[in-house]
Amino acid sequence: MAHAEKVYKVRNGAKTKQFTWRARYQRPDGSTGSEPGFPTKVLAEEWGAKQEAQIKEGTWIDPDKYRSPFGQFARKYMAERPKRGRTVSTRWDLLDTYILPKWDHAPLISLNWFDVDSWQMLLPCDDVTKGHCVSLMSTILTGAVDARWLPINPVKGRQRTKAVVHTPAAPADEDEEKVFTAEAVLRVAERLGPAKGLHVITTAWTGINWGEGLGIQREHFRVRRQQWGKSHWECFVLRIAQEVAEYEERDEHGKKKGTVLKLEPTKNEWRTRDLDLPPFLARLWHYHLADWPYDWMLCTPSGKWWRRNNWGAKQLRPAADGRPERKKRQGCSYRAEWEPIAPGMTMRGLRHTHDSWQDQIGVRAALSFEQAGHKRPGIKRVYQHPTPAMRQARLDGLEEIFWEAMGNLGWSSLWGRVSLVKPPAAPAEDDLLNAPQTISMEDYRRARAGYKSSSEAM
């Protein structure tokens, strides 16, 4: 039973007549717990009785735990709640850069929404990062509640206060937000050559993200077959079932171990999907499968995964932004000048471009969410699903964008060796590889019109 004890104060090594009261109570494991510092015996006994009542109810939280520093539980949470490597790296970056410098030694029980909200308003970062910091803190504090280190999460479900901006905000970084023309995409791809250029074209015409592209292997090029009416509808697809993540690896205590490239499963169930390929892109992939000596289809010329910076700085940036002429000298070969084509082009920007093209050609929501790897909100996700007619309409629209760009550029082939063919009907694999002719945009339109007419007649 809870009771109270006197605790005499000591001065210069000698006990004085001054004292406070210590509460004593029985803990769940049978040991005796204590809490000092009460001014009266009644308050100490009441506090001890309250602890024993909560223990009987199953709601008791050890005071030693809720007084623990936030940083202590945050490190415990990171060690015992592993996520995908890139996610873990991002979380540690937020903790090291923004969260722990402020809250590392703050007792869990001392945290409150007013202080957290005031802190996030003054963080020296963009508003999205501020939101990620608060979200991560809330996730960790919810873990503390679940682990019985804290009675409630003071951050959960609260709406952040946006900082007052007295000067106009700087424009968003355009490098990540541009929508590029199909002509610009093709010119950059032509400049990069067949293997690297295919990566650019595939991103723009399918919306695949960087890590997903690196994770494509030969076996992921396949055929989609769906029953439709009296026959089957077919198209070539790229199966997205994994991705290559590049991140700063950490040990269980958060110590950096170096940057790594690792193969991981997709981020969630929505990211595992089959990307429908327009006929021209399926043909390019057939050529690539025949030429490329490696199992990883969008890797470096030596068969290794691309480093993000190496691809961006040494490949895509010069091809899109242009580069100066380099004279021949000892140790360096001559390099021709490249004029700018699409300054600011990035792989993320190409993904944005694809989604914008989908909206431009009127792709149905059920299909656009599926192809982008996004979870569609609302009840329509349950009731609406892509049909072959939707898929064909999307492929027709993407094919039209490609051929119109080729016509505007005056091109009938890419890289001086790949002649592109568009038969009027959906081709079989052998037809794709052995099609006898190249056609113009006008030929394509006439062929497509004839194909639609014949399909409607059926």
Side-chain angles (χ1 to χ4, degrees):
M1 183 176 178
H3 61 280
E5 297 177 345
K6 286 182 178 180
V7 179
Y8 286 92
K9 295 183 179 181
V10 175
R11 183 178 296 113
N12 297 326
K15 185 171 70 173
T16 67
K17 294 182 179 181
Q18 295 177 324
F19 61 87
T20 57
W21 292 91
R22 176 193 291 133
R24 305 286 280 181
Y25 62 98
Q26 187 174 15
R27 297 165 64 93
D29 61 1
S31 62
T32 301
S34 66
E35 182 74 12
F38 294 95
T40 67
K41 179 179 181 181
V42 172
L43 289 176
E45 289 176 340
E46 289 179 347
W47 190 91
K50 182 179 179 181
Q51 304 309 301
E52 291 186 343
Q54 290 176 348
I55 290 172
K56 290 180 180 179
E57 295 170 357
T59 61
W60 180 73
I61 295 176
D62 188 342
D64 291 338
K65 289 186 175 179
Y66 64 62
R67 293 192 188 106
S68 299
F70 172 84
Q72 177 184 340
F73 185 81
R75 293 178 178 88
K76 171 183 172 65
Y77 181 90
M78 293 297 292
E80 298 180 11
R81 289 291 186 273
K83 302 285 284 185
R84 297 187 333 144
R86 185 66 183 272
T87 302
V88 171
S89 177
T90 300
R91 286 182 169 183
W92 272 117
D93 288 342
L94 293 176
L95 285 167
D96 288 346
T97 306
Y98 302 110
I99 300 175
L100 293 182
K102 171 66 177 179
W103 304 107
D104 195 355
H105 304 292
L108 286 170
I109 197 64
S110 72
L111 270 66
N112 62 78
W113 174 242
F114 184 86
D115 290 343
V116 172
D117 193 32
S118 300
W119 160 76
Q120 66 86 22
M121 289 177 64
L122 301 177
L123 285 176
C125 59
D126 60 85
D127 191 67
V128 172
T129 303
K130 293 178 183 181
H132 289 166
C133 289
V134 174
S135 177
L136 178 55
M137 283 192 69
S138 181
T139 299
I140 292 172
L141 291 174
T142 295
V145 173
D146 295 340
R148 305 295 292 276
W149 285 47
L150 200 61
I152 61 170
N153 176 0
V155 177
K156 184 177 181 180
R158 303 303 297 268
Q159 185 173 355
R160 294 186 300 118
T161 303
K162 300 295 181 70
V164 177
V165 179
H166 298 287
T167 57
D173 186 354
E174 294 185 354
D175 285 4
E176 298 292 351
E177 306 301 333
K178 284 183 177 178
V179 175
F180 299 95
T181 66
E183 290 82 359
V185 175
L186 293 177
R187 290 178 63 198
V188 170
E190 172 78 13
R191 181 174 277 178
L192 284 170
K196 301 170 191 173
L198 179 63
H199 198 166
V200 169
I201 292 175
T202 300
T203 302
W205 265 272
T206 67
I208 193 171
N209 75 23
W210 172 250
E212 293 169 348
L214 296 186
I216 293 177
Q217 296 173 275
R218 287 183 177 274
E219 64 182 26
H220 296 144
F221 184 76
R222 53 186 66 191
V223 176
R224 182 197 297 276
R225 291 184 175 89
Q226 286 185 259
Q227 184 73 34
W228 192 245
K230 297 180 179 179
S231 60
H232 290 82
W233 181 87
E234 298 181 356
C235 77
F236 289 101
V237 301
L238 291 178
R239 168 64 54 86
I240 305 302
Q242 59 191 15
E243 61 181 272
V244 176
E246 180 178 357
Y247 56 90
E248 188 77 42
E249 193 173 30
R250 309 261 189 156
D251 64 16
E252 61 180 4
H253 305 293
K255 185 177 179 181
K256 294 181 179 180
K257 298 170 61 178
T259 302
V260 297
L261 287 170
K262 286 190 176 181
L263 193 66
E264 295 185 342
T266 54
K267 185 177 181 180
N268 52 50
E269 60 181 295
W270 314 105
R271 288 295 179 91
T272 300
R273 62 202 189 280
D274 287 335
L275 296 175
D276 299 338
L277 300 181
F280 86 88
L281 188 52
R283 168 167 287 275
L284 291 179
W285 269 88
H286 275 104
Y287 279 111
H288 187 57
L289 287 163
D291 290 349
W292 201 240
Y294 306 111
D295 185 49
W296 301 105
M297 299 309 299
L298 296 177
C299 61
T300 69
S302 61
K304 298 179 179 179
W305 291 322
W306 283 104
R307 293 276 182 175
R308 188 181 292 266
N309 287 339
N310 285 346
W311 170 265
K314 297 180 180 180
Q315 306 299 326
L316 187 58
R317 289 270 57 77
D321 298 346
R323 70 184 184 193
E325 180 185 25
R326 184 177 68 191
K327 300 293 185 181
K328 183 178 180 180
R329 63 180 185 274
Q330 185 175 3
C332 292
S333 59
Y334 173 78
R335 188 180 68 185
E337 178 184 3
W338 280 350
E339 64 177 8
I341 294 176
M345 179 181 284
T346 62
M347 301 303 280
R348 183 182 175 186
L350 292 174
R351 184 168 163 82
H352 288 199
T353 295
H354 174 74
D355 210 38
S356 300
W357 286 353
Q358 288 200 122
D359 196 41
Q360 171 185 314
I361 61 179
V363 177
R364 299 287 186 174
L367 181 55
S368 66
F369 275 90
E370 178 210 79
Q371 291 292 286
H374 294 158
K375 179 182 178 181
R376 186 182 182 186
I379 193 63
K380 294 299 183 183
R381 178 179 72 253
V382 179
Y383 284 92
Q384 293 183 352
H385 309 281
T387 66
M390 293 180 191
R391 296 187 186 280
Q392 186 62 54
R394 173 180 175 272
L395 296 181
D396 287 347
L398 294 174
E399 187 83 353
E400 180 94 3
I401 289 174
F402 171 78
W403 282 105
E404 184 172 359
M406 291 288 284
N408 292 338
L409 293 170
W411 294 357
S412 61
S413 65
L414 285 171
W415 305 302
R417 66 175 185 84
V418 180
S419 295
L420 300 169
V421 179
K422 181 63 186 71
E429 181 172 351
D430 291 341
D431 295 334
L432 269 173
L433 289 173
N434 303 310
Q437 59 181 355
T438 61
I439 61 176
S440 66
M441 184 61 199
E442 290 73 19
D443 294 330
Y444 161 71
R445 285 173 173 160
R446 286 195 295 270
R448 175 52 59 189
Y451 170 60
K452 288 182 177 179
S453 299
S454 61
S455 298
E456 291 170 358
M458 294 173 62

